[in-house]
């Protein structure tokens, strides 16, 4: 009997001690993911800090601006070569981790961490409208894979650790441990696996604890909460529909932007990336607020409460620049930029309805937060994660009912329109663009223990599988995919 088969049988025989094993593995995963993501957050904070110092230094000086644009173009070329060295370091990172978990890809975890760390830091320093959350998910997953490889874990444990490491990465990025594990269950696995839940909670809490040691316990986003009167809840329905429509539009435009960028064949990839970075420099001199993930935009919105015309301008500028930045596949995430777009949609909507119906002006910040959750739900199609992540990054539970209402309506509206969820579209593109990688992963795959919940009325309900061969496993996997759709 081969070693892998012995390991699988031993796991089945020792299932009574599995909970303790999952906790230990969760701690290992959380520590690894937390440390890598903390270092990444530190690099990005410094990159953004020095970016604004540079912009202040070159302000109003044409010669300095020209030199800065040349430097940015050179940095863009450097990033293109980093991506060529490790292609899976491009873009968000979430589709790559999902593909690894589902068996489409097999990755070199060391190369990805190095390439993504360098590429994403350079991209943020250059001002591209990208966030830290997607890369943090990938860092967490790859750090966990590294621990699994070093400790010679079996394939089942490795996949669980990658999954939980991804959630721990999101937890460390947002200071949101519950949202981290919920994101893995709702967005990546599309099911509630108790083993993933057990290990994932431990990993996410551990990573969040490490993050808070370095960055403190303050929430990412602070606001003043005021309950929406029940008689005005119909306004939340309209907001949810609006966010669902905009989320569907966002998904279509982002994918179309990538398609258009890839169709430009007459310009070499390194030159295209250099142009993208140089344009980012031009944008930075004209509208520095819309650079990077959007934390500056969020602070400006809450502290200044700008006029509706200014909010609409920043919303459109951030959206267009976000599409421009993401289309290049430069290393960087989209979750925080998505959240910022949602806050501005909620702010504009709140300003309009407050003036139209003479509502209490204190409700404005409530609409800001509702916009964040609703847009997340419509774009990612993960309404539960959207509610939890907003609750955790704001530290306020008073808005729970409105958050749920807007998120579910936005989610339903986007589904009715029929556009594909954002990260599923990106995963499909990645798989279709790398058929040889998919085949290689299938050929090198090891045995993996999977848990399936069979619902009442299923074709295999009340049936026994005395010998799980390849055909029966394939049938169960198909049933799982059908239940998740």
């Amino acid at each position: 009997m081969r070693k892998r088969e012995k390991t699988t049988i031993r796991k089945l025989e020792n299932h009574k001690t599995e909970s303790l094993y999952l906790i230990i593995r969760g701690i290992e995963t959380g520590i690894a993911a937390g440390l890598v993501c903390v270092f990444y957050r530190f690099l990005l904070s410094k990159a953004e800090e020095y970016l604004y110092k540079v912009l202040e230094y070159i302000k109003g000086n044409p010669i300095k601006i020209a030199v800065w644009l040349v430097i940015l173009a050179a940095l863009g070329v450097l990033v293109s070569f980093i991506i060529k060295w490790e292609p899976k370091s491009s873009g968000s990172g979430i589709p790559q981790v999902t593909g690894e978990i589902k068996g489409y890809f097999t990755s070199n975890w060391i190369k990805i961490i190095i390439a993504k760390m360098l590429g994403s830091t350079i991209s943020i320093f250059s001002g591209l409208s990208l966030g830290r959350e997607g890369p943090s998910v990938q860092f967490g997953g790859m750090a966990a894979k590294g621990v699994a490889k070093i400790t010679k874990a079996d394939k089942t444990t490795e996949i669980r650790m990658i999954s939980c490491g991804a959630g721990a990465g999101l937890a460390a990025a947002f200071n949101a441990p519950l949202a981290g594990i919920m994101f893995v269950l709702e967005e990546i696995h599309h099911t509630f696996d108790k083993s993933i839940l057990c290990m994932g909670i431990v990993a996410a809490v551990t990573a969040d604890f490490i993050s808070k040691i370095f960055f403190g316990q303050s929430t990412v986003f602070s606001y003043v909460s005021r309950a929406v009167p029940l008689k005005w809840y119909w306004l939340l329905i309209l907001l949810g529909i609006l966010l669902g429509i905009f989320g569907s539009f966002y998904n279509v435009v982002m994918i179309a932007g990538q398609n258009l960028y890839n169709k430009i064949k007459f310009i070499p990839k390194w030159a295209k990336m250099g142009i993208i970075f140089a344009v980012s420099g031009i944008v930075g001199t004209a509208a520095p607020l819309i650079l990077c993930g959007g934390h500056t935009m969020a602070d400006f919105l809450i502290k200044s409460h700008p006029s509706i015309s200014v909010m609409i301008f920043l919303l459109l500028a951030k959206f267009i620049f976000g599409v421009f930045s993401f289309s290049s596949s430069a290393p960087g995430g989209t979750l925080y930029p998505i959240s910022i777009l949602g806050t501005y949609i909620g702010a504009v909507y709140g300003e309009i309805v407050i003036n139209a119906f003479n509502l209490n002006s204190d409700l404005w910040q409530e609409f800001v937060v509702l916009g964040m959750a609703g847009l997340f739900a419509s774009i990612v199609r993960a309404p539960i994660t959207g509610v939890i992540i907003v609750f955790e990054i704001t530290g306020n539970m008073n808005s729970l009912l409105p958050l749920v209402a807007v998120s579910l309506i936005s989610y339903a509206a986007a589904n009715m329109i029929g556009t594909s969820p954002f990260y599923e579209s990106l995963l499909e593109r990645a798989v279709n663009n790398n058929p040889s990688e998919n085949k290689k992963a299938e050929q090198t795959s090891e045995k993996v223990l999977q848990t399936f919940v069979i619902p009442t009325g299923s074709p295999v309900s009340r049936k026994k599988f005395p010998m799980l061969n390849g055909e029966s496993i394939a049938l169960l996997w198909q049933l799982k995919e059908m239940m998740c759709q």
Side-chain angles (χ1 to χ4, degrees):
M1 187 179 292
R2 290 182 302 176
K3 182 179 179 181
R4 292 174 185 170
E5 293 174 345
K6 290 180 180 179
T7 302
T8 303
I9 293 174
R10 187 163 58 248
K11 284 180 68 66
L12 293 171
E13 291 175 344
N14 298 333
H15 68 279
K16 292 183 179 180
T17 60
E18 184 182 25
S19 296
L20 178 61
Y21 178 77
L22 292 173
I23 291 173
I24 294 172
R25 283 299 192 181
I27 294 173
E28 294 174 347
T29 299
I31 292 173
L35 290 175
V36 173
C37 291
V38 161
F39 180 63
Y40 174 61
R41 279 185 66 176
F42 170 77
L43 289 180
L44 290 198
S45 65
K46 291 300 180 182
E48 192 165 346
E49 175 187 340
Y50 285 111
L51 167 63
Y52 283 103
K53 287 183 178 180
V54 170
L55 291 177
E56 185 64 29
Y57 175 71
I58 68 173
K59 187 176 181 180
N61 190 316
I63 296 177
K64 292 179 180 179
I65 291 174
V67 172
W68 174 236
L69 296 183
V70 172
I71 293 173
L72 288 180
L75 290 176
V77 173
L78 175 60
V79 168
S80 72
F81 285 115
I82 291 173
I83 293 174
K84 184 177 181 180
W85 178 61
E86 177 47 71
K88 295 190 192 71
S89 67
S90 65
S92 165
I94 293 175
Q96 292 90 326
V97 172
T98 305
E100 176 101 10
I101 293 168
K102 292 187 175 182
Y104 296 120
F105 309 132
T106 178
S107 306
N108 184 321
W109 62 275
I110 297 178
K111 282 183 67 178
I112 287 180
I113 289 178
I114 295 172
K116 194 82 169 192
M117 195 79 70
L118 289 172
S120 182
T121 303
I122 294 172
S123 297
I124 294 299
F125 175 69
S126 303
L128 270 66
S129 181
L130 301 169
R132 65 175 182 250
E133 296 72 30
S136 294
V137 169
Q138 191 174 19
F139 284 136
M142 292 301 98
K145 181 176 183 178
V147 174
K149 291 295 186 184
I150 292 171
T151 58
K152 302 186 184 303
D154 59 89
K155 192 63 178 180
T156 302
T157 301
E158 180 181 314
I159 290 177
R160 287 174 177 171
M161 291 177 73
I162 293 173
S163 302
C164 298
L170 186 63
F174 269 129
N175 285 355
L178 294 180
I181 183 57
M182 185 56 64
F183 181 80
V184 171
L185 295 172
E186 189 177 24
E187 169 60 23
I188 296 179
H189 282 277
H190 300 289
T191 187
F192 285 78
D193 186 315
K194 66 178 183 180
S195 298
I196 299 293
L197 184 62
C198 177
M199 185 191 295
I201 289 176
V202 175
V205 170
T206 303
D208 180 56
F209 179 77
I210 292 173
S211 175
K212 286 176 177 173
I213 289 176
F214 288 90
F215 297 106
Q217 301 187 52
S218 59
T219 56
V220 175
F221 191 90
S222 299
Y223 80 109
V224 178
S225 172
R226 186 177 180 87
V228 179
L230 294 178
K231 68 177 182 177
W232 296 110
Y233 263 51
W234 62 273
L235 293 174
L236 303 185
I237 297 175
L238 295 180
L239 177 59
I241 295 173
L242 174 66
L243 292 167
I245 295 171
F246 186 86
S248 297
F249 176 72
Y250 176 94
N251 287 357
V252 171
V253 173
M254 291 291 271
I255 298 300
Q258 281 202 338
N259 291 337
L260 179 61
Y261 181 87
N262 292 331
K263 285 180 180 178
I264 303 175
K265 302 293 187 182
F266 61 90
I267 302 177
K269 290 183 178 180
W270 60 267
K272 285 194 292 185
M273 191 69 77
I275 293 172
I276 292 286
F277 276 61
V279 171
S280 176
I282 297 173
V283 172
T285 59
L289 273 178
I290 68 173
L291 298 179
C292 305
H295 187 73
T296 306
M297 272 184 70
D299 285 345
F300 174 75
L301 180 68
I302 296 299
K303 294 176 180 178
S304 302
H305 193 152
S307 65
I308 192 168
S309 59
V310 172
M311 289 189 291
I312 292 175
F313 169 77
L314 290 175
L315 171 63
L316 294 176
K318 184 67 173 176
F319 172 69
I320 295 170
F321 187 51
V323 174
F324 181 80
S325 300
F326 184 75
S327 297
S328 67
S329 296
T334 57
L335 284 181
Y336 200 67
I338 285 172
S339 300
I340 297 304
L341 292 176
T343 61
Y344 271 73
I345 294 174
V348 172
Y349 180 84
E351 193 74 17
I352 293 173
V353 299
I354 287 172
N355 292 332
F357 299 102
N358 197 28
L359 302 179
N360 191 320
S361 60
D362 291 343
L363 288 173
W364 179 73
Q365 290 195 26
E366 188 73 15
F367 283 108
V368 169
V369 174
L370 294 176
M372 182 192 301
L375 190 63
F376 183 97
S378 67
I379 291 176
V380 184
R381 305 295 162 79
I384 300 175
T385 304
V387 171
I388 294 176
I389 204 168
V390 171
F391 152 63
E392 287 192 293
I393 68 176
T394 60
N396 197 319
M397 280 198 66
N398 296 333
S399 305
L400 186 59
L401 182 57
L403 282 173
V404 172
V406 171
S407 296
L408 290 179
I409 293 168
S410 175
Y411 168 78
N415 274 339
M416 290 178 66
I417 293 172
T419 55
S420 299
F422 185 53
Y423 292 116
E424 285 188 15
S425 298
L426 295 179
L427 174 61
E428 183 179 351
R429 284 171 56 87
V431 172
N432 292 337
N433 292 336
N434 296 278
S436 59
E437 175 74 14
N438 188 10
K439 185 176 181 181
K440 178 182 176 183
E442 289 179 355
Q443 292 173 345
T444 58
S445 61
E446 302 175 23
K447 286 183 172 58
V448 178
L449 297 179
Q450 280 282 351
T451 301
F452 298 91
V453 178
I454 306 299
T456 304
S458 167
V460 296
S461 178
R462 299 182 180 277
K463 291 185 178 180
K464 295 181 179 180
F465 288 84
M467 180 64 71
L468 281 178
N469 53 27
E471 182 179 354
S472 59
I473 292 175
L475 174 61
L476 287 173
W477 186 260
Q478 291 174 5
L479 287 168
K480 179 184 178 184
E481 291 294 316
M482 290 170 59
M483 288 186 288
C484 294
Q485 294 183 3

